[in-house]
Amino acid sequence: MKIEKKMKLPLNFTLVALLVISSFCACVEVPAPGSIAADIGYENQKQYAISGMSESIGDFEESSSTLPLTFEIANVTEASGQDVSALSDSIAVVQYTEPIDGDETEDELALKTDTVYLPALSIDKYTGEIETQAENKIPAGEYHFDIKVSNSSGSVVIEDALIIVFNEYEVESYSDGMAQSPVIERVADSPNQILFVGYLDGVALPGNRIDFTVNRSSGFKGTFVNDTEDGEIWDVDFPVESADTYCTWKIVDENDSVSYESENFDFVLGYPGSYIIRLYK
């Protein structure tokens, strides 16, 4: 009768194998029910927004965390140390309380609305989006948000989960016929106006040499005030939302022959005040 002998592995080989298996098990973490994953966060930590505008900011990625998640703002700081109280200002928001069929008179429409007061900036409890209300007065700056995330297992505070840079204005686009990007400057807290200055070959033109009344089917909504030696003045309501705006230059050549050239551009003004917009042709 033949007796088979069992192969004995060397002791050092067995120890190595056990160490490899243990190491592998330690590296693979399977989230337990109700857990919050270590890699939760926003798709892009740094975001940009315009003061005065109604916006939804931030796309939260929950990764393998157990749903549902809830969110709240744990803390806010501004990079230069400026006051952040404007984020909690109350903003009057008109909301509809009944369906709108489109045939209502002004009085009937008023009966279907209600005014509520919401903070200038808040977080959606269930999506993690930061929401701002129109006509907020959030000063320009870089705001750092610590966000508290909770689910059935507990809570965790993500420091600097979202960084939002607020600007008072923005040039969104301009046509190739312009010599350079329009330049926006906020020069005073009041009145709520825009002074447009048109430059032709680097020389500033008086207000009667530029015009915004052509192609007014699209463009910023404002009220013409005056043509002055410094430029053309318009009264505006804030925020001034993005719209395809046309400027026409009156061009007079050396023979006193007159021609007109139009260029379009897009801009946004969020924070109330007095602005100068310089346009280059």
Side-chain angles (χ1 to χ4, degrees):
M1 182 173 64
K2 185 177 180 181
I3 298 175
E4 294 183 357
K5 295 183 179 179
K6 292 183 179 180
M7 182 181 294
K8 291 186 178 180
L9 295 174
L11 180 60
N12 59 347
F13 179 86
T14 304
L15 289 174
V16 169
L18 289 173
L19 287 172
V20 170
I21 294 171
S22 299
S23 175
F24 176 78
C25 292
C27 292
V28 178
E29 293 183 5
V30 180
S35 66
I36 297 180
D39 59 347
I40 55 173
Y42 287 85
E43 183 176 343
N44 295 300
Q45 181 192 34
K46 196 167 191 176
Q47 301 281 332
Y48 294 85
I50 303 297
S51 300
M53 295 294 182
S54 174
E55 298 189 57
S56 293
I57 307 160
D59 184 12
F60 192 84
E61 295 186 315
E62 68 274 357
S63 183
S64 56
S65 298
T66 302
L67 301 179
L69 298 175
T70 58
F71 304 84
E72 62 182 283
I73 298 173
N75 190 46
V76 185
T77 57
E78 199 280 322
S80 65
Q82 72 173 320
D83 184 31
V84 299
S85 61
L87 277 64
S88 56
D89 287 348
S90 290
I91 306 292
V93 179
V94 176
Q95 295 183 338
Y96 290 106
T97 57
E98 298 179 38
I100 306 300
D101 52 39
D103 297 324
E104 293 89 351
T105 66
E106 187 174 333
D107 290 339
E108 290 171 337
L109 197 60
L111 293 174
K112 292 186 175 184
T113 62
D114 189 22
T115 299
V116 298
Y117 289 86
L118 301 176
L121 182 145
S122 60
I123 190 168
D124 187 293
K125 181 178 179 180
Y126 300 108
T127 67
E129 284 187 328
I130 297 292
E131 299 176 341
T132 60
Q133 300 300 323
E135 301 184 16
N136 69 72
K137 303 294 191 301
I138 299 173
E142 181 179 292
Y143 295 82
H144 292 238
F145 293 82
D146 297 342
I147 306 297
K148 181 179 179 181
V149 184
S150 304
N151 67 2
S152 57
S153 69
S155 302
V156 62
V157 174
I158 308 173
E159 294 184 358
D160 271 358
L162 199 58
I163 299 171
I164 304 178
V165 178
F166 280 91
N167 295 306
E168 297 170 337
Y169 51 81
E170 181 178 67
V171 175
E172 295 198 329
S173 65
Y174 60 98
S175 59
D176 292 338
M178 289 188 175
Q180 67 173 73
S181 171
V183 174
I184 300 176
E185 180 183 3
R186 185 176 183 273
V187 294
D189 292 334
S190 63
N192 290 342
Q193 287 185 339
I194 303 173
L195 171 66
F196 289 100
V197 183
Y199 289 79
L200 183 61
D201 297 327
V203 178
L205 302 176
N208 60 6
R209 293 280 300 276
I210 56 174
D211 183 70
F212 295 87
T213 59
V214 178
N215 294 315
R216 286 287 291 155
S217 59
S218 64
F220 76 97
K221 302 300 184 287
T223 303
F224 174 74
V225 175
N226 194 17
D227 283 330
T228 71
E229 283 301 309
D230 294 327
E232 185 168 297
I233 301 173
W234 288 75
D235 284 337
V236 290
D237 293 325
F238 282 84
V240 178
E241 297 186 359
S242 175
D244 194 17
T245 302
Y246 285 81
C247 177
T248 300
W249 278 259
K250 180 181 179 181
I251 300 174
V252 183
D253 67 16
E254 57 187 11
N255 298 317
D256 292 331
S257 178
V258 177
S259 61
Y260 298 88
E261 293 187 16
S262 293
E263 305 292 346
N264 66 310
F265 64 104
D266 245 351
F267 68 101
V268 174
L269 305 180
Y271 202 86
S274 184
Y275 288 80
I276 298 176
I277 299 182
R278 296 179 172 88
L279 307 167
Y280 299 88
K281 175 72 176 170

